[in-house]
């Protein structure tokens, strides 16, 4: 089985680029070379090869549109509050 | 250390440009030889085909994840820009035999079937040039 590694530095493949944090599956020899160069670390083979780590923080600020982003007061945060209705509404 | 005995299917995957396609479900490589007919009136009862052009494809199925390291987006880009990609079908273990070649993504599907099921995608790469089987 190929080794799954988490990139500590961006990795430029022949055609595709992979940012730091990405988990990729590569040949044993490639994995060993990247780990040796401290450009990656081994992860368990069962870890999904995803672009972002599963525990990546959710972006704190978000805007529903560019217009809203442009008109938002400087420094203001868009906070969405979800409320559960009480009773049958 | 090279794999011995029967190879487990979960260990045999397809990689493009050295990186495995994310969350593969199935992977396969197909090789074929076209034949041309040399049958003539002197052939008697039997056809006399001769081997001609060889061709091969590498294909597979995977579960779709939008944040896949090498998934639907990268495969789409490779198909859309028609770039030649290197492909390896093997275990990735040093010393194991593997199929290697290069070609073009010629077929892609993304399928969302039913309700409680993973969205899946398929890809097919048509080989351009030789396919090798070496360790």
């Amino acid at each position: 089985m190929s080794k799954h590694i988490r990139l500590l530095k961006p990795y430029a493949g022949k055609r595709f680029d992979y940012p730091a944090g990405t988990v990729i599956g590569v040949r044993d020899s490639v994995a060993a070379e990247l780990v040796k160069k401290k450009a990656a670390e081994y992860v368990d083979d069962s870890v999904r090869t995803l672009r972002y780590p599963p525990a990546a923080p959710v972006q704190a600020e978000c805007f529903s549109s560019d217009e809203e982003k442009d008109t938002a007061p400087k420094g203001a945060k868009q906070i969405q509050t979800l409320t559960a209705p009480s009773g049958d509404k | 250390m090279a794999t011995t005995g029967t190879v487990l299917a979960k260990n045999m995957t397809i990689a493009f440009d050295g990186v495995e396609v994310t969350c593969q479900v199935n992977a396969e490589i197909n090789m074929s030889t076209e034949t041309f007919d040399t049958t003539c009136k002197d052939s008697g009862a039997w056809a006399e085909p001769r081997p001609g052009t060889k061709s091969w494809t590498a294909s597979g199925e995977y579960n779709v994840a939008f944040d896949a390291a090498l998934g639907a987006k990268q495969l789409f880009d490779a198909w859309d820009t028609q770039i030649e990609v290197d492909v390896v079908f093997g275990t990735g273990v040093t010393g194991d035999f593997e199929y290697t070649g290069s070609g073009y993504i010629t077929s892609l599907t993304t399928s969302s079937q039913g309700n409680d099921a993973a969205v899946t995608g398929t890809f097919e790469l048509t080989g351009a040039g030789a396919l090798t089987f070496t360790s």
Side-chain angles (χ1 to χ4, degrees):
Chain A
M1 172 183 275
S2 300
K3 289 297 178 192
H4 285 188
I5 54 173
R6 178 178 287 113
L7 297 172
L8 301 175
K9 297 176 182 176
Y11 174 66
K14 188 175 177 185
R15 305 291 182 194
F16 309 112
D17 294 333
Y18 302 93
T22 306
V23 175
I24 58 175
V26 293
R27 290 176 57 96
D28 280 0
S29 56
V30 176
E33 184 183 332
L34 290 173
V35 170
K36 188 178 178 182
K37 289 194 298 186
K38 298 188 187 307
E41 61 184 6
Y42 286 112
V43 296
D44 193 86
D45 287 337
S46 62
V47 176
R48 296 283 181 86
T49 54
L50 298 177
R51 183 164 287 269
Y52 307 106
V58 176
Q59 193 169 352
E61 298 182 24
C62 63
F63 299 90
S64 59
S65 67
D66 290 341
E67 183 181 351
E68 191 175 346
K69 183 178 180 180
D70 292 337
T71 58
K74 193 174 182 181
K77 290 184 177 179
Q78 298 290 313
I79 300 173
Q80 184 180 19
T81 305
L82 298 176
T83 56
S86 59
D88 296 331
K89 290 185 178 178
Chain B
M1 182 179 167
T3 304
T4 57
T6 302
V7 180
L8 283 176
K10 70 174 185 178
N11 296 336
M12 195 88 170
T13 58
I14 285 178
F16 290 130
D17 291 336
V19 176
E20 285 181 333
V21 175
T22 297
C23 207
Q24 289 174 63
V25 180
N26 294 307
E28 67 178 45
I29 195 156
N30 291 288
M31 292 147 274
S32 65
T33 302
E34 289 190 24
T35 59
F36 60 93
D37 194 12
T38 62
T39 311
C40 65
K41 296 180 187 300
D42 300 331
S43 300
W46 299 97
E48 295 192 65
R50 293 290 183 269
T53 306
K54 293 180 283 187
S55 62
W56 58 276
T57 61
S59 58
E61 182 179 7
Y62 63 99
N63 289 335
V64 172
F66 291 134
D67 57 351
L70 204 170
K73 182 185 186 306
Q74 290 75 18
L75 292 169
F76 176 85
D77 288 345
W79 168 78
D80 188 37
T81 57
Q82 300 181 324
I83 58 172
E84 187 173 9
V85 294
D86 295 336
V87 61
V88 176
F89 183 44
T91 62
V93 174
T94 303
D96 282 2
F97 280 85
E98 60 190 14
Y99 297 93
T100 61
S102 63
Y104 300 90
I105 302 290
T106 52
S107 176
L108 287 177
T109 67
T110 301
S111 178
S112 172
Q113 298 189 8
N115 296 313
D116 295 330
V119 172
T120 59
T122 65
F123 58 85
E124 181 172 283
L125 175 140
T126 300
L131 178 71
T132 60
F133 186 54
T134 54
S135 61

